[in-house]
Amino acid sequence: MKYTSFKLAAITACISTAFSCQKNTTVSTESDPEIPNVIFILADDLGYGDLGCYGSSCNRTPNLDNLARLGIRFTDSYAAASICSPSRAALLTGRYPLRMGINGVFFPESFSGIDTSEVTIAEALHKAGYYTGIVGKWHLGHHHAFLPLQNGFDEYFGIPYSNDMRSVVYMRGNSVESWTVDQTLLTKTYTGEALAFIEKNKERPFFLYLAHNMPHVPLFASAGFSGKSANGLYGDVIEELDWSVGEIMKKLESLGLLENTLVVFSSDNGPWLTEGPHGGSPGQLFQGKFTSWEGGQRVPTIAFWKGKINPGVYPGVTSLMDWYPTLISLAGLENPGNRMLDGMDLSNVLLGNGKRQTDDFYYIGGGNIQAFRSGDFKMILPQAMKKGNFWVEDVPAHDTLLFNLKEDIGEKNDLSKTEYAKIAEMSAKIQEFRKSLENVPPGLIMNDRSAEEATNKARKILVEQALSQGKKPKGGI
Ligand code: MG
């Protein structure tokens, strides 16, 4: 592919000019090579070990591998939560979801959604002159006030919830466009919408958030990919997602937009391991979705910007929340909100000028701090036994744990009984961080209790039916 052939010399020339930008409140409505378009591609439940460039030997992902080779591959990038809604809220606001009361996932029965007072990245860029669009999964509430068009997006097409929840419909704008969805065409449909969006906006700055529903269960691939991979349906789905990335890069190249478009690819959380072959792989990491172990929150993340990004591997800690201040900075804007941001500006990392401000990250689940990473070390706070069920594997009860992730990526060798000084140092930091959480709102009511009970009962029946037929239960209802 031609987008492999950019000149390294161009990188240094651009670094100095990028940082000489004056801070603005609006950007030119015509394309400016120093103000990038942004395409943020988010996979759903993609595991750390699911791409070739992250060690997969069974899923073929040549387009993503190419993007990683020519861009930056982040080895220690964390989703802000181990489940969908909180992670997406954090990506769009640069803030821990706990600060918004989003401590669980929204359901079609939910009354609530992302607080309208939050200033999403789409809202910030829209006010600054970007045309903004989302194609794909929203999962931050479906009542009018919570939908994308009321939260900074000029356009929306996609499924408002996860593809295993009731109300799998295609929405366009604030309305349902189709009450039936052929999920085998889901990735292809989203890709077509994304390509049309890019084509339509080639003459002005744009922000496209392409939030795929795949590879969240139930899995679907189109006829061109079904049965073609070496890793069953899961591999088919990953390879179609990789094809989608390739189509977007080809479109950018054909329109001459590679030099002024930042493309980021990541996942909202780790793989759903209880789905067996329909769940992804955490690679060498321990556990998956729903947990604060590395497999639950460390996700593949790749950034590409032809001629601007300094290609390589970034081994430091980063978070999906970092993209908020990063995109604000790259657009030459001031932070548009008056709220505390948890993300840190990565523009220095992208442009080869430096590192992230710290190597700290807090793992927050169910509204509580569950673990803390600082540099090479991760401290996990005491937790009660979490019994396995349809969703999550058994997580044994444990006292405080400490791991050196650089030497022990699989979190096997507990150092808490010997590294007392490190435990004390990290505990003090956690205490300091807790102070910043004193005024967080109560958790939003996610849905009606009776509806939740009915859902659980229906799931239980489905599981029992599958087991009685000798099948492993998959997908949802
Ligand atoms: Mg997810």
Side-chain angles (χ1 to χ4, degrees), residues 381-452:
L381 300 179
Q383 283 172 30
M385 165 83 177
K386 195 182 232 179
K387 190 145 178 53
N389 54 29
F390 186 88
W391 291 274
V392 64
E393 294 186 322
D394 276 350
V395 178
H398 59 75
D399 206 334
T400 298
L401 302 172
L402 182 73
F403 300 103
N404 181 332
L405 293 175
K406 280 291 175 229
E407 296 172 358
D408 177 24
I409 195 171
E411 299 174 277
K412 302 289 180 229
N413 184 22
D414 174 29
L415 305 172
S416 66
K417 304 296 182 289
T418 52
E419 300 280 353
Y420 297 123
K422 182 56 72 176
I423 292 274
E425 175 196 322
M426 293 179 75
S427 296
K429 274 191 171 181
I430 292 173
Q431 284 309 109
E432 197 58 35
F433 178 68
R434 271 192 209 285
K435 289 182 192 165
S436 80
L437 299 174
E438 280 172 359
N439 295 317
V440 298
L444 293 172
I445 297 169
M446 291 301 163
N447 59 350
D448 174 76
R449 172 62 65 186
S450 61
E452 186 177 355

Side-chain angles (χ1 to χ4, degrees), residues 112 131 163 205 251 261 272 321 383 390 440 454 458:
S112 49
Y131 193 78
N163 68 321
K251 172 61 79 178
T261 305
W272 196 340
M321 293 179 289
Q383 283 172 30
F390 186 88
V440 298

Side-chain angles (χ1 to χ4, degrees), residues 134 136-138 147-149 154-160 171-173:
I134 163 174
K137 170 172 166 173
W138 174 241
L147 284 169
L149 264 50
D154 293 305
E155 287 187 14
Y156 174 44
F157 174 82
I159 295 175
M171 293 192 74
R172 192 174 296 278

Side-chain angles (χ1 to χ4, degrees), residues 43-46 82-85 88 137 162 216 267-270 289:
D44 194 354
D45 294 7
L46 179 76
S82 65
I83 50 176
C84 303
S85 297
R88 286 153 200 272
K137 170 172 166 173
S162 297
H216 190 292
S267 174
D268 69 335
N269 52 253
K289 180 174 179 172

